[in-house]
Amino acid sequence: MLLSLRFFVLTIVLFFNLTWWTNPAQASINFNAQFRATQGCEAFQSITRGTNPGNIRLIPNTIYPVMAKNKEEATHYYLTIDGADPSARWVKSGCGELLETFVSRDFDYLLAISWQPAFCETHQDKTECQTQTEARFDASNFTLHGLWPQPRNNVYCNVSNQIEGIDGDGKWSDLPPIDLSDTLKDELAIKMPGFASDLHLHEWYKHGTCYQGTPEEYFRESLDLLDQV
């Protein structure tokens, strides 16, 4: 039997006015960002000496706070790595991707996540509910509903009345398609089960258009936040 909760939507207010400070031993440029590791690269205490106390390596798909970069066109980023001693380490820029948009905006956002089994108890006609199994990701994990710029009246930014009307009528499959990479689509299909009913189109046109970024950036950040939850 699938687990259920009384409330299937949780909202978490996330404030992105984060500040990281350090005084690294290398020449550096301080700035705010995050770094998602894609490789298990070494994390050095010193770039020039190549020292790595504790033989620390990055964990792929883990997000680390960035405190600095070694120069404007960075070859290395200065990260905080929990559990390392010292925790401040230099890593090669090619070992992952920079998520500057995650902390660079002075806006508040509301992350809405869902407990899908409870949702499906009252929405059995939905495609994503008809295909749900106990082994599927959304049967035992919180899933993405949306990322909403605050205050709440930040909706339908620069969207035509026609598109707003289609969305308001719930005809999401009639909304214009948006440009997303195949990799991101595959991840949304798993972690945002409403993707099967074009929930992503609704979320983009109502909320994402006020995000000040591309659809790819909007949903990438939404999934990154879900992963942290």
Side-chain angles (χ1 to χ4, degrees), residues 12-221:
I12 301 173
V13 179
L14 299 171
F15 298 96
F16 295 157
N17 297 323
L18 304 180
T19 301
W20 303 97
W21 179 89
T22 186
N23 184 24
Q26 308 288 152
S28 65
I29 301 171
N30 291 344
F31 75 127
N32 294 329
Q34 290 199 334
F35 186 85
R36 190 216 324 269
T38 57
Q39 303 176 46
C41 296
E42 282 196 84
F44 299 105
Q45 182 181 9
S46 169
I47 298 175
T48 55
R49 293 192 297 273
T51 52
N52 180 6
N55 193 28
I56 302 299
R57 290 183 173 271
L58 297 179
I59 300 174
N61 297 318
T62 299
I63 297 174
Y64 300 93
V66 181
M67 301 179 289
K69 55 184 177 180
N70 64 327
K71 56 184 178 180
E72 191 60 41
E73 295 298 324
T75 62
H76 290 76
Y77 293 113
Y78 202 55
L79 312 183
T80 297
I81 302 179
D82 290 341
D85 184 17
S87 61
R89 299 296 182 105
W90 289 100
V91 299
K92 292 181 179 179
S93 57
C95 295
E97 57 182 336
L98 194 65
L99 306 175
E100 288 187 81
T101 55
F102 183 83
V103 294
S104 62
R105 301 188 182 98
D106 293 327
F107 298 104
D108 296 336
Y109 290 85
L110 190 83
L111 177 67
I113 59 178
S114 300
W115 186 252
Q116 195 69 11
F119 172 81
C120 286
E121 287 182 359
T122 55
H123 296 79
Q124 296 179 11
D125 59 323
K126 290 283 189 179
T127 300
E128 60 268 28
C129 295
Q130 293 175 352
T131 58
Q132 189 183 54
T133 66
E134 292 187 15
R136 209 167 68 178
F137 176 88
D138 55 287
S140 56
N141 292 273
F142 287 114
T143 57
L144 176 64
H145 183 82
L147 182 62
W148 305 337
Q150 299 297 294
R152 293 184 62 182
N153 60 354
N154 281 333
V155 294
Y156 298 116
C157 293
N158 299 312
V159 171
S160 68
N161 291 334
Q162 180 183 12
I163 289 180
E164 186 174 345
I166 293 172
D167 184 66
D169 290 339
K171 299 178 180 179
W172 299 342
S173 61
D174 293 336
L175 291 168
I178 56 179
D179 188 20
L180 298 174
S181 66
D182 290 340
T183 299
L184 185 59
K185 288 179 183 177
D186 290 343
E187 190 172 355
L188 282 172
I190 295 171
K191 298 178 180 179
M192 187 185 199
F195 183 84
S197 299
D198 294 313
L199 173 63
H200 65 297
L201 296 179
H202 161 70
E203 289 299 318
W204 168 252
Y205 284 106
K206 184 171 184 179
H207 302 288
T209 52
C210 302
Y211 172 81
Q212 298 184 355
T214 66
E216 183 85 8
E217 292 170 333
Y218 172 72
F219 285 109
R220 180 68 269 159
E221 183 164 345

